Amino acid sequence: MDTILFTTYHSMYCNQENSDCLNTSQTIYFTCKSGWRLEDNSCVDIDECANLTDYCNWANSDCVNTNGSYYCTCKPGWRLNNNSCVDVNECNELAKYCNFTNSDCKNTNGSYKCTCKSGWILENNSCVDVNECIELAKYCNLTNSDCRNTNGSYNCTCKSGWILENNSCVDVNECNELAKYCNLTNSDCMNINGSYNCTCKTGWILENNSCVDINECNELAKYCNLNNSDCENTNGSYNCNCKSGWISENSSCVDVNECNELEKYCNLTNSDCENTNGSYNCTCKSGWILENNSCVDVNECNELEKYCNLTNSDCENTNGSYNCTCKSGWILENNSCNDVDECAELNEYCSLTSSYCVNTNGSYNCICKSGWKSESNSCVDINECDSLIDVCYATNKVCVNSIGSYYCYEGEWSTWSECSETCGYGYKYSILNAQFNSQQEAKQSLPCMNTKCSVDGNWSNWTTYESCSNSCGICFTRQERYCNNPAPADGGHDCFGNNVQYSENNTLCRVNGDWTQWSSWSLCSQPCHGGVKIRYRSCTNPVPKYGGLPCNGNNADEVTCISDKCKNVKVNFGIIFTDVDYIEQFVNPSDEVYNPLEDKIKTAIQNLYNKFNKTVLLNLMLNSIKNVKDYQTKP
């Protein structure tokens, strides 16, 4: 709002239309109303539409200026909704906006579009049917077919013998449905365009609309004329087979020598084979017998009385023979099995201390001596004094055991001694007071127990806990042990020392090398006809250090270029030979002296390319050979 200040003597100016006047004690303020601005001491209308974004910022709207104000309206095809211009969907009122029969309505921002449906075309403001059959090559490219137009579409129907596939008429292969189209057994079906033919297979002949087998064996001289052979008719063919024992060689049946292929014809190990005309005989060797066309071992031990008649002997069958051996505890002497007296070699057979050996037929027994008993394959002393029966039954007689026997003595037992252990389990003893001769002191014992022994505690092994699993960097190691090996008990002392300790480890980490990215491929080493291109990389990402592993692989990669075939290129050369004198005959290519000079020129050009490891194929065409003196005097 613009404001102008007037003195009290100029109140006559405060009478402008569309203005307001503010009177104060000393001054009068003259201001224009909203929508007007002061211009040349007059209030003029502000055109808000000149700056649309400040006053009317609806998308798709128009601004209309009025005296002292303005208003916003939506453009055609748009309507006001929630203080915003939104698109009018004319297609919702199809009859009003787009009333073509067989047409589609497509709404657009602020408008709409009417198009005819597929198969219809706009003519004279109406959608009419497209007759696709008029443009058969465009709509229905169906050779061997008929086209029928329909409203908005068309139908393509294939002729008899053809079928519609992928909008095209393709030949019906009736041979795929042989039972439907060509139902002759043992016949071949040949498909043709739009139809088919049925013919009998080789070895079959058509009779009464059926394929019947040809019996080739009825014409044996024509089809099968081998001696010692049989003709076998088969469906559609025949077989000439040599008879059993004969084989086909050079169009003749010759005798098979089965003995040459013993494993095939006569799988008789330990046998002899005898060949005959058309057959063979297999006979088994001694000790073998024929069973199921194979030589099997004769088990002589099944007829022991015939083959092995020694008393107390065993028969062992072997391949083709047998062995007779004496049983354990018997030995062969004078073709008879005699008993072995094991007791004659007591140290070998009966090694029990305090025992004696008793020989038996084919064996022996070890018997403990008197005063000893057999226990756990050993003779142990019998403590007769532990027997329930008092072996020393005389008055005041005391039984004292001895090795292998016992003694009865007259005497008294002393009082019991102190327990052998001050804590835990032990024994107390009583000594026999008697006059006797003995190799050991006679005493008796009883178990006894004092109070439990105190146990001092002892540490277990250290258990280690690491703060990190890596083998490098800074790691804190914690070790712990426990007072349980054993734990203190019954007043024993605890373990002395700390149960936890810490340590620090700082090790440089190994850095394994890794490859950088591959460089770009180099140019091909040959512009054409083969060559290679190369790319490189380096083991610096990172560089291996502190014992780290180097990179695995190669730092260079080479591939064959896929280059074009070399083109023929015309090159103009000027060559000066300082060792050749010019003669007039060089001008004539048909002259004999011309050819050696031409070969020398070719060699000179090839040597030039060989310096750069290049090989060229020359098709030399000499335009002129002239004296160098005619062109220059310099060497």
Side-chain angles (χ1 to χ4, degrees):
M1 180 182 297
D2 292 332
T3 305
I4 187 170
L5 179 63
F6 293 89
T7 65
T8 55
Y9 300 103
H10 293 83
S11 60
M12 58 179 296
Y13 292 100
C14 192
N15 58 1
Q16 296 291 320
E17 187 179 1
N18 301 310
S19 67
D20 293 319
C21 189
L22 179 62
N23 186 16
T24 64
S25 60
Q26 296 295 326
T27 59
I28 297 174
Y29 290 95
F30 170 68
T31 61
C32 292
K33 293 183 178 180
S34 176
W36 302 83
R37 62 184 174 82
L38 184 64
E39 189 176 298
D40 295 332
N41 291 330
S42 178
C43 291
V44 295
D45 175 52
I46 295 173
D47 186 1
E48 291 83 1
C49 295
N51 193 1
L52 188 63
T53 57
D54 289 344
Y55 296 94
C56 187
N57 57 0
W58 298 342
N60 301 303
S61 66
D62 290 323
C63 179
V64 180
N65 186 60
T66 62
N67 279 335
S69 187
Y70 67 96
Y71 63 90
C72 296
T73 60
C74 292
K75 292 182 179 181
W78 302 83
R79 61 184 176 82
L80 186 63
N81 184 23
N82 293 329
N83 201 29
S84 178
C85 291
V86 297
D87 175 50
V88 175
N89 190 346
E90 292 82 0
C91 294
N92 291 335
E93 300 180 73
L94 193 61
K96 177 180 179 182
Y97 292 96
C98 187
N99 56 3
F100 300 158
T101 305
N102 298 308
S103 67
D104 290 321
C105 176
K106 180 180 179 183
N107 185 60
T108 62
N109 279 338
S111 187
Y112 64 96
K113 184 182 291 185
C114 291
T115 57
C116 292
K117 294 182 178 180
S118 177
W120 301 83
I121 191 171
L122 185 65
E123 288 183 2
N124 299 325
N125 204 29
S126 177
C127 290
V128 297
D129 174 52
V130 175
N131 188 348
E132 292 83 1
C133 295
I134 295 176
E135 298 180 75
L136 191 60
K138 178 179 178 181
Y139 292 96
C140 184
N141 186 10
L142 304 178
T143 307
N144 300 305
S145 68
D146 295 319
C147 178
R148 183 171 65 89
N149 186 58
T150 61
N151 277 337
S153 188
Y154 62 97
N155 290 325
C156 291
T157 56
C158 296
K159 295 179 181 179
S160 176
W162 303 82
I163 190 170
L164 185 64
E165 285 184 5
N166 298 324
N167 203 30
S168 178
C169 287
V170 296
D171 174 51
V172 174
N173 190 347
E174 293 83 1
C175 297
N176 290 336
E177 299 181 73
L178 196 61
K180 178 179 179 182
Y181 293 96
C182 185
N183 57 3
L184 298 179
T185 305
N186 299 305
S187 66
D188 289 321
C189 177
M190 181 176 67
N191 185 61
I192 58 176
N193 278 338
S195 187
Y196 63 96
N197 288 327
C198 291
T199 57
C200 291
K201 293 182 179 180
T202 301
W204 302 83
I205 191 170
L206 186 64
E207 289 184 2
N208 299 325
N209 200 30
S210 179
C211 291
V212 297
D213 173 52
I214 297 173
N215 191 345
E216 293 82 1
C217 294
N218 291 335
E219 301 179 72
L220 192 60
K222 177 181 178 182
Y223 290 99
C224 189
N225 56 2
L226 301 179
N227 292 329
N228 298 307
S229 68
D230 294 320
C231 178
E232 177 191 8
N233 185 59
T234 62
N235 281 336
S237 187
Y238 66 97
N239 292 322
C240 286
N241 302 320
C242 291
K243 294 181 179 180
S244 178
W246 303 84
I247 190 171
S248 178
E249 283 185 7
N250 299 323
S251 299
S252 178
C253 290
V254 297
D255 175 47
V256 174
N257 188 348
E258 292 83 358
C259 295
N260 291 335
E261 300 180 75
L262 193 60
E263 293 182 356
K264 179 178 179 181
Y265 293 96
C266 183
N267 187 10
L268 302 177
T269 307
N270 301 302
S271 68
D272 294 318
C273 178
E274 178 188 6
N275 186 61
T276 61
N277 270 339
S279 188
Y280 61 96
N281 290 322
C282 292
T283 56
C284 294
K285 295 179 180 180
S286 175
W288 303 83
I289 190 171
L290 186 65
E291 287 183 3
N292 298 325
N293 201 31
S294 179
C295 289
V296 295
D297 173 53
V298 174
N299 190 347
E300 292 82 1
C301 295
N302 291 335
E303 300 180 73
L304 195 59
E305 294 180 357
K306 177 179 178 182
Y307 294 96
C308 187
N309 56 2
L310 299 178
T311 306
N312 298 308
S313 67
D314 290 320
C315 177
E316 178 188 8
N317 185 58
T318 61
N319 281 336
S321 186
Y322 64 98
N323 290 323
C324 288
T325 58
C326 292
K327 293 182 178 181
S328 176
W330 303 83
I331 191 170
L332 184 64
E333 293 178 351
N334 300 324
N335 202 29
S336 176
C337 289
N338 296 325
D339 174 50
V340 174
D341 186 0
E342 293 85 359
C343 295
E345 301 180 55
L346 187 62
N347 292 334
E348 181 177 350
Y349 292 97
C350 191
S351 58
L352 298 180
T353 304
S354 301
S355 67
Y356 60 90
C357 179
V358 178
N359 186 61
T360 61
N361 277 338
S363 187
Y364 64 96
N365 290 322
C366 290
I367 300 175
C368 292
K369 295 179 179 179
S370 176
W372 302 81
K373 63 179 179 178
S374 179
E375 189 175 289
S376 300
N377 201 30
S378 179
C379 290
V380 296
D381 173 52
I382 298 174
N383 189 348
E384 293 84 356
C385 296
D386 288 340
S387 175
L388 293 178
I389 301 174
D390 188 0
V391 293
C392 294
Y393 52 87
T395 306
N396 294 323
K397 294 282 182 164
V398 177
C399 179
V400 177
N401 186 59
S402 63
I403 296 175
S405 185
Y406 64 96
Y407 298 97
C408 291
Y409 295 104
E410 183 175 350
E412 294 181 353
W413 292 101
S414 68
T415 58
W416 292 102
S417 67
E418 294 293 331
C419 192
S420 61
E421 300 293 336
T422 59
C423 63
Y425 291 96
Y427 291 91
K428 58 183 180 179
Y429 302 95
S430 176
I431 306 299
L432 178 65
N433 297 318
Q435 296 297 324
F436 63 89
N437 292 324
S438 175
Q439 295 179 352
Q440 62 181 15
E441 186 179 24
K443 65 180 179 179
Q444 58 182 352
S445 62
L446 286 175
C448 57
M449 184 185 74
N450 283 340
T451 58
K452 290 185 178 180
C453 298
S454 61
V455 178
D456 293 333
N458 194 24
W459 292 112
S460 65
N461 293 329
W462 288 101
T463 302
T464 302
Y465 304 94
E466 290 187 351
S467 63
C468 57
S469 58
N470 297 328
S471 60
C472 63
I474 298 177
C475 290
F476 294 96
T477 303
R478 178 177 181 269
Q479 290 184 309
E480 188 172 353
R481 59 182 178 175
Y482 305 94
C483 189
N484 60 2
N485 186 32
D490 299 322
H493 297 290
D494 287 332
C495 298
F496 177 78
N498 296 325
N499 67 325
V500 178
Q501 63 183 15
Y502 295 89
S503 62
E504 181 178 320
N505 180 32
N506 187 2
T507 306
L508 288 175
C509 294
R510 292 189 305 171
V511 179
N512 294 329
D514 200 2
W515 293 111
T516 61
Q517 295 292 328
W518 285 105
S519 66
S520 299
W521 287 104
S522 67
L523 296 177
C524 193
S525 61
Q526 293 282 0
C528 62
H529 201 63
V532 295
K533 56 183 180 179
I534 305 174
R535 62 178 181 175
Y536 299 94
R537 60 180 178 176
S538 63
C539 188
T540 58
N541 186 35
V543 176
K545 56 185 177 180
Y546 307 133
L549 298 176
C551 299
N552 185 22
N554 298 322
N555 67 335
D557 187 17
E558 180 179 295
V559 295
T560 302
C561 301
I562 302 175
S563 54
D564 298 330
K565 184 179 179 182
C566 292
K567 301 178 180 178
N568 292 327
V569 179
K570 293 182 179 180
V571 180
N572 293 324
F573 282 99
I575 302 175
I576 299 174
F577 291 108
T578 59
D579 58 341
V580 177
D581 293 329
Y582 177 78
I583 59 176
E584 293 295 334
Q585 288 88 337
F586 287 157
V587 179
N588 186 6
S590 62
D591 201 296
E592 292 183 359
V593 297
Y594 181 90
N595 293 333
L597 180 60
E598 184 180 28
D599 292 339
K600 189 171 184 178
I601 294 172
K602 288 182 179 179
T603 302
I605 296 174
Q606 288 174 338
N607 290 338
L608 177 64
Y609 280 99
N610 289 339
K611 290 181 180 180
F612 303 98
N613 294 324
K614 306 296 182 184
T615 303
V616 295
L617 180 64
L618 292 177
N619 184 12
L620 188 63
M621 295 179 63
L622 297 177
N623 291 329
S624 64
I625 300 176
K626 295 185 178 182
N627 192 348
V628 70
K629 295 180 180 179
D630 298 336
Y631 295 92
Q632 61 185 17
T633 59
K634 295 181 181 180

